[in-house]
């Protein structure tokens, strides 16, 4: 009795475009094996996988080849050559394995004979044609998909993210879920914690609240700020691109304490040796009078987990020291950075070309003179470059002032009194909304400075 393996395969694109199905291929292969009186040793189906993929990316084919190596298979049945391979290199590597174990393959809808040199040549030629066809089809599909993305249309078979629905191939806000999504973002910017957002939604909406995975994707999928890949206006946004980028910055800096307790500066202090973020921990000390002193500290965790890491030790900071430093220096540094921008702006304005309008007017005059042939190309290029540089500097200074305006509003008035009313979680959210990182100095073993989140 000849032992045969059935190998049906279909790619995702073909499932949608051509209506090919694994059940149809399987039925045809089983009927052929029955007619030939073959014993079916196994069915190995690769679904949604292109024949251009390497063997290592085709799980069913890997299992099939393993059984071939164990001499469990005498012949492999496939419906057509393009179900088997569309990649000459991968085919030849597989064929070596089959020949080493006296296993052959056959297409039931086509006639290929690999037992002769002429037959092998025909197979290689047809594989080259199939590979070329697959490449051209892939290019066409990519072009179509890229065009759809550029005009805000969804791809075939695409599901809308939570909070959206597909209307006439366009992603539109779902009126039923929109209030929940908006509430999720509003609460996030109060606590900067995805898990707390999920808990809050459960309390507010009960069984109507989305799952944790859906909530987590609200803060990962850029479609929620309206953009997708190369299209900045892919769909109607829930948040601004700036808010989305800020969320990514905060998420990348998040660290979690071992105790699960809230630490004000978790994810903000950078280790000066390894570059990791410090971790919060409690330090309990028994005083002479018998009482226990509990202090929150920040340290680099690898120092305590890995032998000989950070030889000589890295600075360990108490939360009280870090908070005191930030409260004393944050407004001072903010004013210094704003003053520096104002100095650059004043310096640029002191030049004859004082404003963006005057520089643009000079550029127009320069273009007119060049078009009339009154100045040389070299003079035109040098003057154009100089004026463009001045214009860029003025734009940069203006943009920089705009980025500092929200920070100036936060640190105005009696902001420290409001800050002292916050608990540890909200203080952590506050600092993460204004500070990107806090840096340490190994020599002084103290805080060297910090960078604003702008």
């Amino acid at each position: 009795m000849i032992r045969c393996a059935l190998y049906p395969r279909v790619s995702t694109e073909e499932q949608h475009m051509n209506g090919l199905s694994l059940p149809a291929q399987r039925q045809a292969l089983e009927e052929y094996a029955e007619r030939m009186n073959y014993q079916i040793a196994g069915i190995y189906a690769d679904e949604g996988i292109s024949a251009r993929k390497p063997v290592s990316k085709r799980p069913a084919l890997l299992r099939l080849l393993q059984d071939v190596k164990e001499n469990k298979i005498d012949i492999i049945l496939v419906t057509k050559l393009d179900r088997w391979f569309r990649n000459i290199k991968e085919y030849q590597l597989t064929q070596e394995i089959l020949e080493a174990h006296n296993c052959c393959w056959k297409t039931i809808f086509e006639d290929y004979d690999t037992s002769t040199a002429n037959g092998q040549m025909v197979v290689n030629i047809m594989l080259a044609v199939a590979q070329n066809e697959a490449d051209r089809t892939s290019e066409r599909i990519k072009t179509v998909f890229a065009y759809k993305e550029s005009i805000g249309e969804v791809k075939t078979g695409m599901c809308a993210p939570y909070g959206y629905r597909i209307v006439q191939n366009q992603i539109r806000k779902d009126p039923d879920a929109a209030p929940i999504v908006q509430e999720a973002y509003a609460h996030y910017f109060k606590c900067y914690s995805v898990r707390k957002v999920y808990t809050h939604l459960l309390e507010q909406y009960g069984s109507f609240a989305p799952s944790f995975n859906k909530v987590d994707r609200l803060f990962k999928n850029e479609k929620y700020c309206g953009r997708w890949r190369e299209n900045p206006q892919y769909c109607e946004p829930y948040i601004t691109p700036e808010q989305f980028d800020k969320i990514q910055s905060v998420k990348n800096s998040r660290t979690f304490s071992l105790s699960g307790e809230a630490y004000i500066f978790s994810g903000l202090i950078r280790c000066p040796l390894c570059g990791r973020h410090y971790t919060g921990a409690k330090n309990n000390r028994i005083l002479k009078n018998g009482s226990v002193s509990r202090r929150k500290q920040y340290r680099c965790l690898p120092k305590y987990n890995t032998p000989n890491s950070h030889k000589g030790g890295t600075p360990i900071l108490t939360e009280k020291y870090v908070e005191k430093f930030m409260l004393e220096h944050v407004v001072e540094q903010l004013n210094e950075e704003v003053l520096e921008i104002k100095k650059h702006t004043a310096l640029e304005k002191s030049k004859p070309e004082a404003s963006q309008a005057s520089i643009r007017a000079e550029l127009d005059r320069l273009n007119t003179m060049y078009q009339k042939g009154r100045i040389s190309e070299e003079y035109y290029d040098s003057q154009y470059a100089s004026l463009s540089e001045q214009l860029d500097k003025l734009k940069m200074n203006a943009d920089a002032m705009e980025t500092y305006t929200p920070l100036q509003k936060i640190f105005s008035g009696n902001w420290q009194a409001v800050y002292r009313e916050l608990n540890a979680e909200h203080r952590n959210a506050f600092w993460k909304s204004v500070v990107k990182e806090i840096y340490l100095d190994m020599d002084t073993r103290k805080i060297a400075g910090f960078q604003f989140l702008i």
Side-chain angles (χ1 to χ4, degrees), residues 180-454:
I180 301 178
V181 175
Q182 291 164 350
E183 177 67 21
Y185 285 119
H187 193 73
Y188 179 84
F189 287 112
K190 294 178 182 177
C191 65
Y192 289 89
S193 169
V194 176
R195 191 162 294 279
K196 289 175 183 176
V197 169
Y198 172 65
T199 303
H200 174 74
L201 294 180
L202 277 179
E203 294 173 353
Q204 293 288 320
Y205 298 97
S207 60
F208 294 100
S211 66
F212 178 79
N213 287 335
K214 288 182 179 178
V215 173
D216 188 47
R217 284 194 287 270
L218 291 177
F219 306 96
K220 293 180 178 178
N221 192 337
E222 64 178 352
K223 291 188 183 77
Y224 289 100
C225 72
R227 72 188 182 201
W228 178 242
R229 295 183 177 172
E230 302 298 325
N231 188 352
Q233 296 178 336
Y234 182 75
C235 60
E236 187 179 1
Y238 278 98
I239 56 175
T240 65
E242 291 75 20
Q243 287 175 315
F244 180 80
D245 293 339
K246 184 174 183 178
I247 290 171
Q248 305 316 302
S249 177
V250 171
K251 283 170 65 66
N252 291 337
S253 68
R254 287 301 299 264
T255 59
F256 301 93
S257 65
L258 298 177
S259 64
E261 188 167 353
Y263 288 82
I264 299 176
F265 299 99
S266 66
L268 290 176
I269 304 173
R270 179 78 70 177
C271 176
L273 289 184
C274 68
R276 294 181 176 91
H277 285 101
Y278 267 34
T279 300
K282 270 191 174 181
N283 177 259
N284 298 329
R285 297 175 58 190
I286 300 177
L287 303 179
K288 292 181 179 180
N289 59 9
S291 61
V292 179
S293 170
R294 295 179 174 85
R295 298 190 304 174
K296 289 183 178 180
Q297 295 181 336
Y298 296 92
R299 63 196 185 190
C300 186
L301 197 58
K303 174 186 174 182
Y304 297 88
N305 286 343
T306 308
N308 301 322
S309 64
H310 294 356
K311 290 182 178 179
T314 52
I316 298 177
L317 310 175
T318 64
E319 187 169 270
K320 186 176 180 180
Y321 161 71
V322 180
E323 187 172 32
K324 183 174 182 292
F325 179 92
M326 295 303 296
L327 291 175
E328 290 179 352
H329 292 85
V330 65
V331 174
E332 177 185 351
Q333 180 166 320
L334 176 62
N335 290 337
E336 288 178 358
E337 293 185 17
V338 171
L339 181 61
E340 191 67 22
I341 294 173
K342 288 181 177 180
K343 286 181 179 179
H344 283 294
T345 304
L347 180 63
E348 293 300 323
K349 287 184 177 180
S350 66
K351 297 178 180 180
E353 304 83 2
S355 66
Q356 295 185 35
S358 63
I359 294 177
R360 290 194 181 96
E362 182 63 21
L363 283 171
D364 291 339
R365 189 182 70 84
L366 187 69
N367 287 330
T368 301
M369 292 177 65
Y370 177 70
Q371 291 170 5
K372 292 183 177 181
R374 296 178 181 176
I375 56 176
S376 66
E377 184 175 351
E378 292 182 0
Y379 179 81
Y380 172 81
D381 289 340
S382 63
Q383 290 300 303
Y384 188 90
S386 176
L387 291 171
S388 297
E389 183 180 356
Q390 294 175 35
L391 187 61
D392 290 340
K393 286 182 179 179
L394 287 176
K395 286 181 179 179
M396 288 175 59
N397 290 332
D399 293 341
M401 284 303 299
E402 288 182 7
T403 59
Y404 278 93
T405 300
L407 287 175
Q408 289 178 304
K409 290 181 179 179
I410 291 173
F411 296 106
S412 62
N414 196 15
W415 67 273
Q416 288 200 19
V418 178
Y419 173 83
R420 292 189 182 95
E421 297 296 323
L422 303 176
N423 59 23
E425 292 180 356
H426 287 95
R427 290 186 183 189
N428 175 255
F430 169 79
W431 288 115
K432 282 190 172 177
S433 68
V434 296
V435 173
K436 183 178 181 180
E437 282 184 353
I438 299 174
Y439 306 103
L440 305 181
D441 189 322
M442 276 297 295
D443 295 329
T444 63
R445 306 184 68 79
K446 294 182 179 180
I447 296 176
F450 54 90
Q451 180 182 353
F452 285 111
L453 184 64
I454 55 174

Side-chain angles (χ1 to χ4, degrees), residues 65-78:
L65 292 179
Q66 182 60 38
D67 287 347
V68 168
K69 292 176 183 178
E70 294 176 5
N71 298 315
K72 297 179 180 179
I73 308 296
D74 298 316
I75 187 172
I76 300 170
L77 299 180
V78 293

Side-chain angles (χ1 to χ4, degrees), residues 43-45 58-68:
I43 300 174
Y44 308 81
R58 297 163 70 174
L61 183 55
L62 281 175
R63 290 190 293 106
L64 171 56
L65 292 179
Q66 182 60 38
D67 287 347
V68 168

